[in-house]
Structures are given as C-alpha cells and as structure tokens.
Amino acid sequence: MSVTDFTSAHPSDLPEVYRAGLNLRRAWPGLKGAVGLWMWTKPLQLRSGSVSIWETPEDLHRFVAWPPHVAIMRRFRNRGAIRAHTWTAHAFDPAETWARAARLLAQTGAPSQTAP
C-alpha cells in the first residue's frame, strides 16, 4: 500500500499536479501488479495525492521508477513538498486501507517514510 501527499507551494500549480495524476491513472489498468487506486485532493489546503494498492513491493518500486512517473516527479519537485508512506498488508481491506491512509494524511509535516 502506498499513500502520497503533495502540498503545492502555489495555488496555481494544483490543477496541473492533479491533471498529471489523472494522466498516470489512465495507464493504471496496464501496470503490472496494480490492484487499486484512489486519488484525493484538498484544494483549500493546496494538497493532493493518491492511495495505491500493489500486489508486491516490487510492483510499487517499478511504478516509482517508471519513466512517466519519474518525469512528473521531476517536473514538480521544486513546486511543493511530497510525503509518501508505504506498508504491507496480509490482505486487502478497502475500509482499513482508507482509514490508515486518512490517519497518515492527518499528520501534517511528517517526513517521508516507510512503515511496516
């Protein structure tokens, strides 16, 4: 499981960031190991991101290194702050996944991390 949280430095960047996420989402069905994806946004807080579910950690790592994803990360890296959290679950429970993601997203200012 992976949760990302991008906080934009400028309000005008948020629509572009979200459109970039939508473009990645179009490729989702063809990505090896991709199970599920929720995109989210909190426009008044200049925040947006995703909750993604992967079959294996390697599938997530392959996505992170995927050239279209890398290009987007490079394009926006100086336009705000990104936080990412990952964890492994024995089974996929949508309600528990979203609850954990919501708890992580409620923690503002926490550094990027990987959780067991």
Side-chain angles (χ1 to χ4, degrees):
M1 315 290 177
S2 173
V3 177
T4 61
D5 181 0
F6 178 77
T7 302
S8 179
H10 304 285
S12 61
D13 287 338
L14 198 58
E16 187 180 354
V17 169
Y18 196 74
R19 277 192 302 276
L22 290 175
N23 287 336
L24 287 179
R25 184 181 74 174
R26 286 189 193 105
W28 198 261
L31 295 175
K32 183 178 180 333
V35 174
L37 173 69
W38 291 300
M39 293 180 63
W40 63 272
T41 185
K42 293 185 175 189
L44 296 178
Q45 295 177 17
L46 303 180
R47 293 171 61 195
S48 64
S50 66
V51 178
S52 58
I53 298 89
W54 300 90
E55 289 181 5
T56 69
E58 293 77 24
D59 295 328
L60 170 59
H61 294 294
R62 189 174 25 264
F63 170 75
V64 169
W66 184 45
H69 180 259
V70 170
I72 287 170
M73 295 304 291
R74 286 183 179 152
R75 186 169 63 205
F76 293 106
R77 69 176 163 206
N78 294 321
R79 294 185 180 181
I82 185 88
R83 294 184 310 139
H85 303 271
T86 62
W87 72 92
T88 302
H90 297 296
F92 174 53
D93 177 337
E96 176 54 34
T97 300
W98 187 247
R100 184 166 179 176
R103 286 191 304 271
L104 290 167
L105 293 170
Q107 301 170 5
T108 59
S112 183
Q113 65 184 18
T114 299

